[in-house]
Amino acid sequence: MKGLIKIVLSVVLILVFTQCAQVVPLNGGKKDVTAPKLLQAIPVNKSLNFNTDIIILNFDEFVQVKDIVNQLIVSPKLKNEPEIVADGKKIKIKLKKEELLPNTTYRFYFGKSIADMHEGNILQNFDYVFSTGTFIDTLKLKGKVVEEVNAKPIQDMIISLYNSNEVLRDSLCYTTIPNYVSRTNENGEFIFENLPYKEFKVIAFTDKNKNYLYDGEIEKIAFRDSNLVLKNDTTIHLKAFQEEANKTFIKKISSPYYGYSAIVYNKRSKIETRTLSEEDSKNVYFPLNSIERDTIEVFYKSITDTFQLISHNLITKKIDTLSIIPPKQNTSLKKLQLPKFNINGNKLPLNNSVELTFLNLMDTAKINSSKIKITCKEDSTINQNLIKHRWISPYKLQLQTKLKEGLNYQLKIDSAVFYTENKIYNDSIVLDFKTESRTDFGKLILKLLLNKKQNYLVQLINEKEQIVRETYIELSLAGSNARSIDFIDVPPANYQVKIIFDDNENKKWDTGNYLLNHQPERVIIHSKVIKVVSDWEVEEEIIIKE
C-alpha cells in the first residue's frame, strides 16, 4: 500500500513540474503604430540667414529613409542632389552651401520617405525649410492636373515652375531644370509652399526618366498659356495631353504565319502601299489601302522569298521601302485554320449577316455553297433557302441569307467548301448562334443645351471607355443652342456622355502642342452615369454653362 502511495505521489509531482515548465510566449505589448517625431533640428526649422553644409534632424526613435530619389523634392532645385543618410535616431543632410542662392527660401519636402526602423511607420509630408535671407517666403500654389481626353487625374506628374527671366525660350522645358518642382498625388493634386512673390512659367510633365526635362511625345505635358504672377495664395488647374509624334515611322513588322504580315506604325496616317515588283503585285493584297490607320495589313500568296514594298505617306509625302520575310510555309498542312466569325458570345449583331474572315487569301472562284446550311427550328422557311454569298474581299465572305430577329440558328459547313490558292481546304464547322432582337436594346434620348456656337462631337462611352455611339453636331450662328440626339439600339449597360469641342471642325479630338502654345481641344464628360436597359427608353438632359 505504501508503495502504491509513493507511485501516485511521484506521478503527481511529475505532472506539476511539467506544467510549470511549459514555455509561454512573451507578450511585447501593443504594436507600435506611431510615426517618428522630430525632437530637434540643427539648424532649427525655418532658420534665417542659413549658412552651413550639414543639417541634422534628431528623432525620438531609430529611423530610416526609403525611396528618397522619388520622394524628396527640394525647391528651388539644387545643382547637385543633397546627400541624405539615416544614422540611428538621426537623419543627416549634406549639401554645398556655395550652391545656395542669396535671399532665397528653400524647402526640403520628404513625402513618404521617413519611417521608423522596426515597424515602418511613415512620417507623412515632413518638410524642412530655411532661408538664406532675412525672411521666409510664405506664398502657396496648389492645383490639380487631369488628362483632358478622359478627365482622369494623373499621379506622379512633375509640376515645374520656371523663373520669368527664362520663359522667353520655347525650348525651356526641353533644356532647363525647373527652379521649383512639386509632384501630383493619386488625385492629381499638387501644392507648393514657401514660394516668393514672383512671376513663373508653369509646365507639368510625367518625367518618365526622372531627368526633370520634358522629352517630347513619349511623356504627357500640361502648361498654362500665360505666365503666373504669384501675388497671393493661388489655385490653378492644368489640362494634360500627349503630343502627337512629329515623325511617322515603322515600329515593327509582324508575320505570325505564312500568308499574313502587319506593318505597325507609331501613329495613324494615310499610307498607300504597293509592291516594288510588278510580278509580286498579283499575289499581294492590301485591305483598306490609303485609309488613315496605324497598321497596314498585308495578305499574300505563292511567295516564298523576301519581297519588297513601297510605302507612301500621303500626308508627309515620305516614301519608304521595306522588306517582308515570309515565315516558312508548312507544306504538309492540308486543313485551314478556323475562320473568325462576326458572332460575339454566340450572338449575331442586330441586322447583320454572318461573315467569315479567313487568315489567308482564298480562291474565291472555288466554293461549293451547296455544302453550307443554316437551319432554324423556330423558322422552317430558312431551311429551304439556298445560301447566297458574297466575297467582300479575297479573305472575307458574307452569307447573305436574311435571318429573323431573336431566333436560334445553326450554321453547318461541310469540309472542302473553301480553298486557298495552295489547295488547302477547310474542315467541317458547326456553329450555334442567336440573332439579336431590337427588344434586347434600349434607347437613349439626349437633350443638350450647349454654350457656344460651334461644332461638337458627342460620344456615348461605356465603363471600359469604349465609344459605343457617336454623332456630330454643327451649331450655326443663327440657330438654337439646343439639340436632341436619339441613340437607338444601345446595348444594356452603364454609360457616360463625352462632349468634344471640335474647334478645327475635323470631326475628331485633337491633342495640344506645347511649342505652338496650343491647348488640347476641350472635353466634357457628363458626371452622371446613365443606365440603359433593354426595351426601355431613357431621357437625359445635359446643360453646358461654362
Side-chain angles (χ1 to χ4, degrees):
M1 186 67 177
K2 290 181 179 179
L4 180 60
I5 292 173
K6 288 181 179 180
I7 293 173
V8 172
L9 289 173
S10 299
V11 172
V12 171
L13 289 171
I14 291 171
L15 290 174
V16 170
F17 282 114
T18 302
Q19 290 296 320
C20 292
Q22 284 184 346
V23 178
V24 178
L26 293 174
N27 187 349
K30 293 183 179 180
K31 181 180 178 181
D32 177 18
V33 294
T34 304
K37 294 180 181 178
L38 180 69
L39 299 179
Q40 182 188 36
I42 306 173
V44 297
N45 205 349
K46 298 187 178 179
S47 290
L48 303 179
N49 300 310
F50 184 92
N51 186 28
T52 183
D53 290 318
I54 297 179
I55 302 166
I56 298 177
L57 305 176
N58 292 309
F59 293 88
D60 64 342
E61 57 182 318
F62 289 95
V63 290
Q64 58 179 321
V65 288
K66 304 189 299 183
D67 194 26
I68 197 72
V69 173
N70 294 314
Q71 293 295 323
L72 179 68
I73 297 176
V74 181
S75 289
K77 286 288 295 177
L78 296 171
K79 183 178 180 181
N80 293 289
E81 291 294 326
E83 180 185 341
I84 299 178
V85 294
D87 182 11
K89 296 183 179 181
K90 298 179 181 178
I91 291 178
K92 295 180 180 179
I93 304 172
K94 296 181 181 179
L95 50 83
K96 295 180 179 180
K97 63 180 181 180
E98 60 270 18
E99 292 183 3
L100 300 177
L101 299 173
N103 301 313
T104 301
T105 298
Y106 284 86
R107 180 174 182 246
F108 285 62
Y109 175 74
F110 287 83
K112 301 177 182 179
S113 62
I114 299 176
D116 62 33
M117 182 63 73
H118 300 294
E119 299 295 341
N121 297 309
I122 295 172
L123 178 59
Q124 296 272 5
N125 304 321
F126 174 77
D127 63 0
Y128 178 84
V129 178
F130 64 83
S131 173
T132 56
T134 57
F135 62 91
I136 298 286
D137 293 318
T138 59
L139 291 181
K140 293 182 181 180
L141 172 64
K142 62 180 180 179
K144 186 172 184 178
V145 184
V146 297
E147 191 162 7
E148 181 66 12
V149 71
N150 57 22
K152 289 187 175 181
I154 303 181
Q155 185 176 3
D156 289 331
M157 199 168 199
I158 292 294
I159 314 299
S160 305
L161 303 184
Y162 302 85
N163 290 336
S164 59
N165 60 346
E166 299 185 22
V167 300
L168 296 177
R169 287 182 289 149
D170 291 337
S171 60
L172 181 68
C173 58
Y174 293 92
T175 59
T176 306
I177 300 295
N179 301 101
Y180 294 84
V181 294
S182 183
R183 186 180 290 115
T184 56
N185 62 18
E186 62 274 11
N187 298 316
E189 299 165 340
F190 63 88
I191 186 169
F192 289 89
E193 296 189 76
N194 304 109
L195 290 177
Y197 181 108
K198 215 167 189 179
E199 183 177 351
F200 295 104
K201 177 69 175 177
V202 183
I203 305 174
F205 44 87
T206 46
D207 198 26
K208 289 184 177 181
N209 58 3
K210 304 184 187 305
N211 63 353
Y212 291 98
L213 299 174
Y214 174 55
D215 293 299
E217 65 268 7
I218 64 171
E219 298 177 340
K220 294 174 183 176
I221 188 171
F223 62 92
R224 278 177 57 92
D225 295 333
S226 57
N227 292 348
L228 173 66
V229 180
L230 203 60
K231 297 180 179 179
N232 42 45
D233 292 349
T234 305
T235 300
I236 62 174
H237 291 84
L238 298 174
K239 301 184 294 184
F241 58 92
Q242 197 142 10
E243 292 187 294
E244 189 173 289
N246 290 323
K247 296 181 180 180
T248 304
F249 57 86
I250 296 171
K251 291 174 63 176
K252 67 175 181 178
I253 299 177
S254 173
S255 298
Y257 53 85
Y258 179 83
Y260 174 84
S261 292
I263 306 165
V264 183
Y265 287 81
N266 67 313
K267 58 184 285 190
R268 293 172 62 88
S269 196
K270 290 184 179 181
I271 297 176
E272 183 181 73
T273 311
R274 60 181 175 85
T275 59
L276 181 63
S277 166
E278 283 293 328
E279 183 66 24
D280 289 334
S281 64
K282 61 184 178 182
N283 294 318
V284 182
Y285 176 73
F286 305 101
L288 304 175
N289 208 8
S290 304
I291 301 298
E292 184 175 334
R293 61 208 189 281
D294 59 11
T295 301
I296 305 298
E297 291 186 299
V298 183
F299 287 86
Y300 58 90
K301 61 183 180 181
S302 307
I303 298 178
T304 55
D305 295 327
T306 300
F307 62 97
Q308 291 186 307
L309 305 178
I310 294 177
S311 170
H312 180 198
N313 191 314
L314 301 179
I315 297 176
T316 65
K317 309 304 181 184
K318 183 180 179 182
I319 297 176
D320 290 315
T321 302
L322 54 131
S323 299
I324 300 293
I325 305 174
K328 187 175 181 181
Q329 189 175 5
N330 186 355
T331 55
S332 63
L333 185 67
K334 297 299 180 185
K335 296 289 181 72
L336 273 173
Q337 296 183 61
L338 282 175
K340 297 178 181 178
F341 291 86
N342 62 330
I343 294 172
N344 301 316
N346 292 329
K347 281 195 173 184
L348 180 67
L350 186 66
N351 298 328
N352 274 239
S353 299
V354 177
E355 292 180 358
L356 293 75
T357 301
F358 296 91
L359 303 182
N360 299 89
L361 293 180
M362 305 300 293
D363 186 347
T364 58
K366 192 172 184 180
I367 176 174
N368 188 351
S369 58
S370 65
K371 292 185 177 182
I372 304 175
K373 303 288 183 184
I374 296 181
T375 58
C376 177
K377 293 180 181 179
E378 301 148 294
D379 181 15
S380 58
T381 60
I382 191 69
N383 305 327
Q384 302 168 7
N385 294 336
L386 178 66
I387 303 299
K388 296 180 181 180
H389 68 275
R390 178 175 73 95
W391 285 100
I392 300 174
S393 72
Y395 63 92
K396 183 176 287 189
L397 178 76
Q398 183 183 80
L399 304 182
Q400 295 184 295
T401 301
K402 186 170 179 59
L403 306 178
K404 294 182 180 180
E405 292 181 12
L407 298 183
N408 294 289
Y409 291 90
Q410 185 178 75
L411 171 64
K412 286 186 177 181
I413 301 175
D414 292 341
S415 62
V417 173
F418 310 109
Y419 285 83
T420 68
E421 294 286 345
N422 298 327
K423 312 303 180 186
I424 301 173
Y425 57 88
N426 68 287
D427 205 345
S428 60
I429 301 170
V430 177
L431 180 64
D432 293 308
F433 65 94
K434 183 178 181 179
T435 52
E436 291 181 332
S437 170
R438 183 158 270 105
T439 57
D440 295 336
F441 300 92
K443 180 179 180 180
L444 173 60
I445 301 173
L446 291 180
K447 302 287 187 179
L448 301 178
L449 183 60
L450 301 162
N451 66 332
K452 292 178 67 178
K453 300 285 190 180
Q454 67 161 85
N455 293 0
Y456 299 86
L457 193 61
V458 181
Q459 299 173 338
L460 191 64
I461 56 176
N462 62 18
E463 292 176 313
K464 296 181 180 179
E465 299 182 20
Q466 298 167 326
I467 301 171
V468 178
R469 294 289 186 274
E470 182 178 86
T471 192
Y472 196 67
I473 293 176
E474 299 178 31
L475 294 186
S476 64
L477 293 176
S480 169
N481 282 26
R483 282 296 176 89
S484 180
I485 301 172
D486 291 353
F487 287 126
I488 62 173
D489 300 332
V490 179
N494 292 326
Y495 297 98
Q496 284 183 285
V497 176
K498 177 189 283 190
I499 300 174
I500 297 171
F501 289 61
D502 188 24
D503 299 328
N504 61 359
E505 302 180 2
N506 64 351
K507 298 185 178 181
K508 67 176 184 177
W509 179 78
D510 288 286
T511 188
N513 186 293
Y514 168 70
L515 291 177
L516 297 177
N517 203 40
H518 286 173
Q519 295 287 352
E521 287 183 327
R522 186 183 176 194
V523 175
I524 291 179
I525 298 180
H526 187 47
S527 59
K528 183 177 178 180
V529 176
I530 304 169
K531 185 175 184 179
V532 175
V533 297
S534 58
D535 201 22
W536 197 259
E537 185 177 290
V538 182
E539 186 172 305
E540 181 68 23
E541 184 180 78
I542 300 176
I543 300 175
I544 306 299
K545 294 181 179 180
E546 68 280 1

